[in-house]
Amino acid sequence: MDNFLLYGVPLLIAAASVPFLHRFKRTRGRKLLYHAIYAAVCTVSALFLPSVVQDVIFSRGGVLVVGTMIPVYESIVAVCTLTETDDKAWLMYWVAAGTFSYATEFIDQITEYLPSAGEHWYEFEFFAVLWMLLPFTDGSALLFDLITRPFIAPFARILEKKLEGFGGFILTLVNGSHIYFLWWVFLFMPAEARRFITVAVGTIYPTIASIVALTTTTGKDDVYWLTYWSCYSLLFIAMDCLENYIGVRGFYSLCLCATVYLFLPMFKGAEAVFR
C-alpha cells in the first residue's frame, strides 16, 4: 500500500497539472520574477506541508513519476505536431533531466546507509525537476543557453564523432559468440553495478547525441531522440517500479537489451515502439 501511494498519488498530481501548465508559454528561464516566486513557494511547501504529504510527494516515486510522466506526455504531443519549437523545448528538458538523473544516481545508495545524509535530498530533487520542466521557470532551457550550448556542445560534437562506431561495436558483440561470456559476467555483478551500467548505457550516449541534435538545424534528429527519451523513460519507470513495488531485481540484462534496441539506429526501436 505504501509503495502504491508513492507512485499513485504523484501520478494523479501529474495528470491533473497538465491542463494547468498548458496555459503558460515557455519563457526560456528569462523571467527572474518567476524564479523568485518559485523559490518562495518551494520554501513554504518544504516548511509547512504536513509530513504525511511530504513523505508521499518528496519521495523517489514522486520525483520519478512527476519528472517523467508530464514530459513524456508533452514529448508525445510535440512529436505529433508540425512545429519544431516544442520538440527542442522538451529535448532540452531530457538533456538536463538525463544528466541530473545519472549524476545523482548514487545518492539513493548513500541514503540507504546514511539516512541523515539524504534527509532532505528528495525535496531538493523534486523542486529541481519541477524547476526544469515548468513553463514559467523553464530551467532546462536556461541551463541549455547558459551552460550546455556554450561549454558542453562543442565537446559533445567531438565525442559523438568518436562514438559513431559505437553502434557497430555493439552489433559486433551481439553477433559474436563471446556475447554469452559478457552476459554471464553482467549477470553475476552486484545488483547496484548492473543498475548503474543499465542507466549509464541509457543516458550517456543519448544525452551527447541529443545535445548535438539541439545545435543543428535539422529537426529529424530532434524527433528521433525525443521519441527515444519518451520510450526509455517509461522503461525506466517500469524498472524502478519492479524493483520497489514488486521486488523483482534479476531483470537488468533484459532492461539493458531493451535500452540498446531503443536507441541504436540499425534497430530504430524507439520509433517502432512510438509509432
Side-chain angles (χ1 to χ4, degrees):
M1 183 64 180
D2 291 338
N3 284 327
F4 175 78
L5 290 176
L6 290 179
Y7 289 91
V9 173
L11 182 60
L12 292 175
I13 294 174
S17 63
V18 169
F20 171 74
L21 296 179
H22 280 175
R23 298 180 182 180
F24 299 90
K25 293 183 178 179
R26 305 198 73 85
T27 63
R28 295 194 74 88
R30 299 300 182 178
K31 303 290 186 180
L32 295 179
L33 178 61
Y34 292 161
H35 294 287
I37 294 173
Y38 179 74
V41 171
C42 292
T43 302
V44 172
S45 299
L47 291 176
F48 298 107
L49 275 179
S51 60
V52 64
V53 177
Q54 293 193 28
D55 290 342
V56 172
I57 297 178
F58 304 143
S59 63
R60 179 182 178 86
V63 172
L64 184 61
V65 172
V66 173
T68 301
M69 297 310 297
I70 295 176
V72 164
Y73 172 79
E74 295 292 354
S75 297
I76 293 172
V77 173
V79 170
C80 294
T81 58
L82 298 177
T83 59
E84 295 182 6
T85 304
D86 50 358
D87 294 350
K88 290 188 177 296
W90 287 107
L91 193 55
M92 288 178 195
Y93 169 80
W94 289 118
V95 167
T99 304
F100 180 74
S101 175
Y102 181 67
T104 59
E105 179 70 18
F106 66 94
I107 295 293
D108 293 322
Q109 306 302 325
I110 293 177
T111 56
E112 287 183 9
Y113 300 102
L114 296 172
S116 59
E119 185 177 356
H120 298 289
W121 167 249
Y122 287 122
E123 288 95 323
F124 169 76
E125 192 175 11
F126 184 87
F127 292 135
V129 168
L130 270 186
W131 177 76
M132 288 189 284
L133 74 84
L134 290 176
F136 34 84
T137 52
D138 206 1
S140 58
L142 184 63
L143 291 173
F144 183 82
D145 290 338
L146 297 182
I147 299 176
T148 306
R149 187 191 295 274
F151 300 111
I152 301 177
F155 296 101
R157 296 189 193 99
I158 296 173
L159 282 174
E160 192 196 35
K161 289 182 180 179
K162 291 183 177 180
L163 292 173
E164 281 181 351
F166 180 68
F169 173 72
I170 293 294
L171 200 59
T172 301
L173 290 179
V174 171
N175 291 332
S177 59
H178 55 284
I179 187 63
Y180 295 104
F181 173 74
L182 295 176
W183 181 73
W184 277 105
V185 171
F186 178 79
L187 193 63
F188 284 97
M189 285 181 176
E192 292 78 9
R194 281 179 281 149
R195 177 186 172 89
F196 186 83
I197 292 172
T198 302
V199 175
V201 171
T203 56
I204 294 178
Y205 177 74
T207 297
I208 294 171
S210 298
I211 292 173
V212 174
L214 285 168
T215 56
T216 58
T217 56
T218 59
K220 187 176 180 180
D221 289 341
D222 296 347
V223 172
Y224 180 86
W225 288 109
L226 201 57
T227 54
Y228 165 77
W229 285 111
S230 299
C231 295
Y232 173 73
S233 298
L234 294 177
L235 175 66
F236 188 87
I237 282 187
M239 182 176 73
D240 193 82
C241 184
L242 287 171
E243 284 178 332
N244 296 283
Y245 185 61
I246 301 177
V248 178
R249 295 188 63 85
F251 59 97
Y252 288 111
S253 56
L254 178 61
C255 293
L256 184 60
C257 292
T259 300
V260 172
Y261 169 75
L262 287 175
F263 77 74
L264 283 184
M266 69 277 294
F267 298 132
K268 294 184 178 180
E271 183 178 344
V273 172
F274 184 86
R275 299 301 176 188

